[in-house]
Amino acid sequence: MIKTFSSRAGRLSDTNKKFLELQSTCLIKHETKPQTKLPIVIDIGFGDAQSFTKDVVNNKNHCFIGIEPYKKGFAKAVEFYEKEKPKNLYLYNGDAREFLEAIEYKASFVRIHFPDPWPKKKHIKRRLISLSFLHLLNQKILETGKIEIITDSKTYQNHIEDVLKEQKLFKQIDNFEISYEVSTFHNKGLKKGHEIRRYVLAKA
Ligand SMILES: C[S@@+](CC[C@H](N)C(=O)[O-])C[C@H]1O[C@@H](n2cnc3c(N)ncnc32)[C@H](O)[C@@H]1O
């Protein structure tokens, strides 16, 4: 099996464990479409959930499905849900590719903010953004659907730009409807003086 997301476990506190074990109503399975009339936003890899939960609050006209395999961050998102009970949040603890492959509905938006860059050449296969992943996204978003990818990694920016040149499914546009707060990894990139690049894609 190719390992494609880092197994950062983070030490789990008792509170983390409690929210991980909870059968929260925000948990979503592949086979269940969210009960919403709002446009669906799939957020891939929300990390520690700090900025993601703010984005959920600030974008109440959109229904978010947050996907994150990292248990500590996932527990934080469940904790947020249980305290605030937002009507526009669903969560999935696992791999976004498996989730996308299994769902039988289409999302309006997909966000991938600061994906793990896997900068070493020998780890290229672990990078989430690839031609085959764009094909998968193309099947799982509406005709009017959009994707937003943001990264501060120069290597990943070059990689994304190469992948975009190789495909005809998507064109780059400017406007993406959903606002976002500066995330933990965004902040790390800014502190290191990295150039942050944002790619917004619509179907060509
Ligand atoms: C560098 S962190 C960025 C986190 C957050 N978006 C931010 O901006 O701070 C990348 C996150 O993507 C998650 N991730 C990696 N592979 C994934 C996958 N296949 N599906 C869903 N999430 C994934 C990781 O667990 C990690 O939390």
Side-chain angles (χ1 to χ4, degrees):
M1 192 178 83
I2 300 167
K3 186 174 162 235
T4 46
F5 50 82
S6 72
S7 52
R8 250 186 314 247
R11 186 171 294 169
L12 295 174
S13 66
D14 288 345
T15 308
N16 295 154
K17 286 179 194 156
K18 178 182 124 188
F19 285 107
L20 271 179
E21 284 159 16
L22 193 72
Q23 291 303 307
S24 172
T25 49
C26 71
L27 301 182
I28 192 161
K29 296 193 172 127
H30 316 120
E31 54 273 21
T32 328
K33 185 176 188 282
Q35 293 296 308
T36 182
K37 291 196 167 116
L38 300 175
I40 293 175
V41 184
I42 298 184
D43 189 293
I44 298 179
F46 59 74
D48 62 13
Q50 281 193 37
S51 59
F52 172 61
T53 50
K54 289 183 192 148
D55 297 347
V56 169
V57 172
N58 293 339
N59 294 274
K60 289 202 170 66
N61 292 332
H62 292 88
C63 178
F64 289 78
I65 302 177
I67 306 182
E68 178 54 68
Y70 165 52
K71 296 222 176 298
K72 198 172 175 67
F74 192 81
K76 283 292 196 190
V78 176
E79 182 175 352
F80 162 79
Y81 175 82
E82 288 299 324
K83 288 183 175 157
E84 306 294 331
K85 287 279 157 76
K87 291 194 173 71
N88 61 333
L89 177 61
Y90 292 86
L91 296 169
Y92 179 81
N93 188 204
D95 183 336
R97 273 162 310 201
E98 286 174 15
F99 183 86
L100 287 166
E101 275 162 14
I103 59 170
E104 289 179 355
Y105 56 89
K106 295 182 189 226
S108 298
F109 302 97
V110 173
R111 308 195 313 174
I112 310 168
H113 290 181
F114 302 86
D116 290 326
W118 295 110
K120 290 184 187 158
K121 253 194 174 157
K122 65 177 178 183
H123 291 148
I124 285 179
K125 285 213 168 109
R126 296 185 184 183
R127 294 180 190 157
L128 187 61
I129 312 298
S130 66
L131 266 185
S132 66
F133 190 64
L134 289 186
H135 275 92
L136 177 61
L137 289 177
N138 185 48
Q139 288 164 19
K140 302 298 174 170
I141 62 169
L142 299 170
E143 280 314 300
T144 51
K146 292 182 188 176
I147 302 164
E148 183 184 58
I149 306 166
I150 311 179
T151 180
D152 66 312
S153 159
K154 187 73 208 156
T155 322
Y156 213 2
Q157 290 165 1
N158 291 338
H159 171 78
I160 291 169
E161 285 160 29
D162 287 346
V163 170
L164 291 179
K165 271 187 216 138
E166 276 179 52
Q167 58 81 48
K168 293 201 170 86
L169 297 170
F170 296 102
K171 60 177 186 246
Q172 271 186 259
I173 58 164
D174 292 324
N175 183 42
F176 196 76
E177 282 78 348
I178 303 135
S179 69
Y180 61 88
E181 296 289 312
V182 172
S183 70
T184 301
F185 277 85
H186 190 159
N187 214 12
K188 282 186 189 177
L190 290 173
K191 280 192 180 143
K192 287 180 190 157
H194 290 175
E195 183 196 354
I196 314 283
R197 286 203 186 168
R198 177 170 167 268
Y199 305 87
V200 179
L201 310 178
K203 289 196 179 187

